[in-house]
Every structure is written in structure tokens, then in C-alpha cells.
Amino acid sequence: MIEVTLEQIKEWIPCDIDNEYLDHTIKGVSIDSRVINNQNLFIPFKGENVDGHKYVAQALKDGAGAVFYQKDVTLDKNIDGPVIWVENTLKALQQLAKAYLEFVGPQVIAVTGSNGKTTTKDMIESVLKPQFKVKKTQGNYNNEIGLPLTILELDQDTEISILEMGMSGFNEIELLSNLAEPNIAIITNIGESHMQELGSREGIAQAKAEIITGLRSNGVFIYDGDEPLLESHVTKILDADIVSIGKDKDNTLVCQIEDIENAGIVFNINGGERFDLPILGEHNMKNATIAIAVGKRLGLSHDIIFNNLRKVELTGMRMEQHYTSDNKLVINDAYNASPTSMKAAIDTLSIMKGRKIIVLGDVLELGPDSQMMHENVGRYLEGKNIDALFTFGAASKFISNTGKAHVTQAEHYEDKQALITTLQNYVQSEDKILVKGSRGMKLEEVVEALI
């Protein structure tokens, strides 16, 4: 965030500030009193168990330029410095971010989906970055607090803001979309993440489709056209260009793999334009096609998009390839998982050469259908030419139970070190090993042991 005066903040959001402080300046925002840079605006939150207002005085002593303070909280007598009085600190953070976004004025690209949000965000950045000043969401700063903080980190000359939008329930993405008012809104796919809270894939589609609510007039909506659950939501869009991507021939952009190489794939769009992607997986072809659609929308030529996409770098633990000294390939896809993304991982591994080993952990937060969904992943191994299946966790035993009929060897573990020991003894040179599970399973520890 550039340096702004408190007088400017008073113009941007509903608040009260003593006149003597209006010429004071702040630069940047912090919500953690332990990490205060000079002139930061410190924003405390009033929670059920902890009230951040008790850290306000110390934040000012540590160099904060000003602080938000909720009007229903008694002012700490030890506070010495500029206070910005607001009705609700979280809402004020969101209002400030919205005003600041309008002040900077970049084109906004909003990305949501059950799987592939971060990968697609990374690909879009790679396609655009050499030609534009681009800033994207870092890490998982994609919720009601993280997204405003991401916006407030924009430089004044930022041309493109890529914002990832996550959710755990209804109305959350609607809030984020109305805050960001995207020029381009994207849904990568609909999976099973948050099934426990939303009840069904139809509910997930409804929640993800909230990204449309803030879409600007004459904007563009890009979505997975292979997903029937999104069609009813597309019909509600009245004043935007609509681009569907996928393998089905009825999509606006039809993508198809032409060749599979050791380090990636070659694919075409609409049977013509060819692109090289240095990442494995048919699902990543679809994510790349979304990035290509964005690049075309912003006026980039085929050659520029082609060259930029070849240099894509993904956030860690997403189809991350590691070659060992004896030429084993270990693919770390352990950042997160859903039944849909596990099936995509199986597809990716199945078309590779050599002995193929897949290591799967539990998919968490699936609700009452968890057993059935894990069993379906096991059944999906049928005909996929996977040689060995190793599973870890309480729920993944259901993958093993149904999957063992479709592989040469299947073993289930609830002790991670025992799994690691078995794998270290089992894998051979030239093997291809893909590791995937929910974040809470920490299967990167298996990857680290193997490499």
C-alpha cells in the first residue's frame, strides 16, 4: 500500500478521526501486533475468545502510524497516537480495500473453483507478467480477511490484480466478488471440497457461481464448460462475454492433448493453435486454457502467450516434479486433495511410461459421504495401468479396499513412518511415484523421504 494520509482514509470509508491527526500518514497494513512495520495501519479484530484491541497500545509504541478501533470497545487509556474509529474493524478493512482498489484502478481477475485455483492463478500470472505489472494473491490469502489484505498490497502502478477467492460456505464468494468487482471472473471446476458444509455438488456450484455477482458490465466469465452444474448459473449472466473451456466439442475453447513428454504436455485449442506446457496432467491443460483465454482477452498474441506459458512456475506441492539420482520421478501433489483431483492425478500417472506407484492420503471434510467418495477413487483405478497403490490415514483404507482389485499391489497404512519405510524398500530406479492427500495429512513428508 502506498503512503496515504488519514484525511484520505476519512474520505474513503465511514470513520471518525480527531482533526489533529488528519495529516498523519500510514503505509501498509498489519493485523498481527507482533509484526508491525513503521507507519503500518494496525487493524485489531474482536473475536469470541480474543480481542485484538488489547494489543493496540503496543502496536502504536512499536511504530504503527495509526490504528482502527471499534466504537463498541472501551478505549484503552494507554493508547497514545492516531485512532480511526469505525463501527466494525473487519468491515472497515473491506471498505478500505474496495476504496483502495478503485484508487489504483487495475483490471481485476477473480479466480475460484474446487480445484486448481492456485495453479490457474500462477498460469495467468505467467502469461501476463512480462507484458503487464501484475500482482496476485499470495498463499491462501483468499478469504474475507486475506483478500482485502492482498488488495492493500497493490502498488499504485499495478495494472493487473489476480485475486483468488476461497470459501467454506454460502455468501462468502458473493462478498468477495462485490468487493473486488472483477473484470474477468473464472470458475476452474466443481469438485467435492466443502461437501460437509454445502451438502452437495449442486450446493458447491451455487456457492462458486457467486463470483458472478460482482462481475462488471462488459466483463468476461470463463468457466469449465465440461461441468453441467454450471450451466444454469451461466444463463443468469446478462451483460458479459461468456467463454467455456474444456474437452467437449460444444465449448468455446476446446482443448486436446497432442503429445505427452517427460516434463509436460503439448496440446491444441480448437484443433489449431498449439501450446507447450511444462506441467503434467490433462486437468492442467484446462487450467492453462483458462490462462490463454485471459491472455487473448487482454490483447496478447499467440506467440507471446506460447512463450510465456512455457516459463510457468507453480506454487509448491502442485504436480511438483523431483528426479532422484537413480532417475526415479517423484511427483509432489500433496498440497491438497479432493476425490476429483485424485482422479485427475490417477489419469496423469496412468499415461506415463515405466512402473507407476500412487500414494494417496485421506480427503478430509467430505461429510457423511466420505466412505463412498473414497471407495469411488479406488474404483477409478480400474483400467488405469497403475502398478501399486499405497494409502495412508483412516478414510483412505476405503480407497485401498476398492482399488486393490485394479493394481498389482495395494497396501494401507495408518503409521506414516511405516509407509515411508515400505516405500523406500519398494521403489526402484525409473519408477514414477505420485503422492497426493489433503493438507492435514502432510504427505510432503513422504516425498521428502523418497527424494
Side-chain angles (χ1 to χ4, degrees):
M1 185 179 186
I2 64 168
E3 190 171 298
V4 298
T5 65
L6 301 198
E7 185 172 16
Q8 196 162 12
I9 288 180
K10 191 172 183 180
E11 293 173 358
W12 282 348
I13 67 171
C15 64
D16 294 322
I17 307 171
D18 286 348
N19 289 337
E20 64 177 298
Y21 292 126
L22 291 178
D23 62 347
H24 284 233
T25 59
I26 59 105
K27 185 175 183 180
V29 173
S30 175
I31 61 171
D32 186 344
S33 62
R34 298 165 298 181
V35 185
I36 298 290
N37 294 320
N38 191 43
Q39 288 185 276
N40 273 177
L41 170 63
F42 175 61
I43 302 180
F45 299 118
K46 185 180 179 183
E48 292 182 8
N49 301 316
V50 178
D51 189 345
H53 289 80
K54 69 180 182 180
Y55 303 110
V56 165
Q58 188 60 48
L60 286 166
K61 290 178 183 177
D62 291 340
V67 296
F68 275 175
Y69 213 94
Q70 207 158 284
K71 291 180 179 180
D72 64 352
V73 178
T74 302
L75 184 64
D76 184 342
K77 295 179 181 179
N78 296 315
I79 288 176
D80 182 19
V83 173
I84 302 170
W85 290 94
V86 297
E87 295 295 336
N88 179 282
T89 53
L90 174 57
K91 187 173 182 180
L93 167 65
Q94 294 164 352
Q95 292 168 332
L96 179 61
K98 186 176 180 67
Y100 185 69
L101 188 62
E102 292 173 0
F103 173 74
V104 175
Q107 292 227 42
V108 177
I109 301 169
V111 183
T112 194
S114 295
N115 311 113
K117 292 187 294 295
T118 301
T119 297
T120 302
K121 175 187 68 180
D122 292 342
M123 289 179 176
I124 294 170
E125 180 193 39
S126 293
V127 165
L128 301 181
K129 195 169 186 178
Q131 277 65 45
F132 299 96
K133 174 71 178 288
V134 179
K135 276 213 166 182
K136 67 178 180 181
T137 301
Q138 297 297 319
N140 59 351
Y141 268 43
N142 60 11
N143 62 10
E144 61 180 358
I145 296 174
L147 185 135
L149 292 176
T150 296
I151 290 170
L152 290 169
E153 289 180 355
L154 296 178
D155 300 319
Q156 190 167 355
D157 60 348
T158 302
E159 297 173 284
I160 307 286
S161 175
I162 307 171
L163 299 175
E164 181 178 326
M165 295 184 177
M167 60 90 192
S168 57
F170 293 115
N171 304 319
E172 294 176 14
I173 289 180
E174 180 180 9
L175 183 151
L176 301 178
S177 181
N178 285 327
L179 190 161
E181 295 184 340
N183 303 89
I184 301 175
I186 295 163
I187 299 179
T188 60
N189 59 20
I190 302 300
E192 302 86 3
S193 301
H194 309 298
M195 185 77 79
Q196 190 167 347
E197 295 86 357
L198 298 171
S200 64
R201 291 186 71 249
E202 288 81 3
I204 294 167
Q206 179 183 335
K208 296 296 184 184
E210 291 172 7
I211 199 169
I212 299 167
T213 57
L215 182 62
R216 290 177 183 262
S217 298
N218 302 315
V220 59
F221 175 55
I222 305 172
Y223 73 104
D224 179 2
D226 294 338
E227 175 51 75
L229 291 177
L230 290 174
E231 290 303 323
S232 63
H233 300 284
V234 173
T235 59
K236 300 174 185 176
I237 301 174
L238 301 176
D239 189 17
D241 292 336
I242 298 172
V243 178
S244 61
I245 65 97
K247 297 183 294 178
D248 189 276
K249 61 181 177 61
D250 293 330
N251 285 304
T252 313
L253 299 179
V254 181
C255 48
Q256 184 175 11
I257 290 180
E258 287 190 3
D259 193 19
I260 299 163
E261 302 169 343
N262 284 338
I265 58 175
V266 178
F267 67 99
N268 70 61
I269 294 179
N270 291 343
E273 292 181 306
R274 297 173 77 252
F275 295 91
D276 291 350
L277 184 66
I279 304 165
L280 295 166
E282 190 175 73
H283 57 297
N284 282 319
M285 170 186 69
K286 294 175 73 171
N287 295 334
T289 302
I290 292 172
I292 292 164
V294 171
K296 287 173 178 274
R297 174 73 178 192
L298 296 178
L300 299 185
S301 68
H302 170 269
D303 288 349
I304 287 175
I305 295 172
F306 181 92
N307 290 325
N308 292 350
L309 192 61
R310 292 180 71 181
K311 302 170 187 174
V312 64
E313 295 181 2
L314 299 187
T315 303
M317 294 195 288
R318 292 166 173 86
M319 299 302 290
E320 191 175 83
Q321 300 180 45
H322 300 275
Y323 282 94
T324 65
S325 58
D326 59 348
N327 210 32
K328 291 192 290 284
L329 171 60
V330 182
I331 303 173
N332 182 358
D333 199 28
Y335 182 79
N336 216 333
S338 71
T340 296
S341 64
M342 279 189 169
K343 292 172 183 176
I346 291 169
D347 286 337
T348 298
L349 188 62
S350 70
I351 56 179
M352 301 183 76
K353 297 177 182 178
R355 197 170 68 148
K356 299 175 279 288
I357 302 162
I358 194 158
V359 182
L360 300 175
D362 292 358
V363 179
L364 304 177
E365 299 178 7
L366 290 180
D369 292 329
S370 176
Q371 178 177 335
M372 178 267 291
M373 291 183 181
H374 282 86
E375 289 173 343
N376 286 342
V377 171
R379 293 188 185 98
Y380 193 74
L381 288 161
E382 183 177 3
K384 298 296 182 179
N385 298 313
I386 305 298
D387 295 285
L389 166 68
F390 293 87
T391 53
F392 167 70
S396 64
K397 66 182 178 183
F398 299 113
I399 299 176
S400 185
N401 289 347
T402 55
K404 61 187 177 184
H406 310 302
V407 296
T408 304
Q409 181 167 348
E411 295 185 22
H412 176 72
Y413 292 83
E414 298 198 15
D415 182 313
K416 191 182 295 177
Q417 188 54 53
L419 167 63
I420 289 171
T421 300
T422 297
L423 285 169
Q424 288 173 326
N425 291 326
Y426 180 79
V427 297
Q428 304 169 4
S429 60
E430 308 291 335
D431 282 354
K432 309 297 188 294
I433 308 105
L434 193 151
V435 182
K436 188 168 187 64
S438 279
R439 182 83 296 275
M441 304 308 291
K442 297 183 179 178
L443 286 183
E444 67 273 15
E445 295 170 2
V446 174
V447 174
E448 291 162 5
L450 290 175
I451 64 175

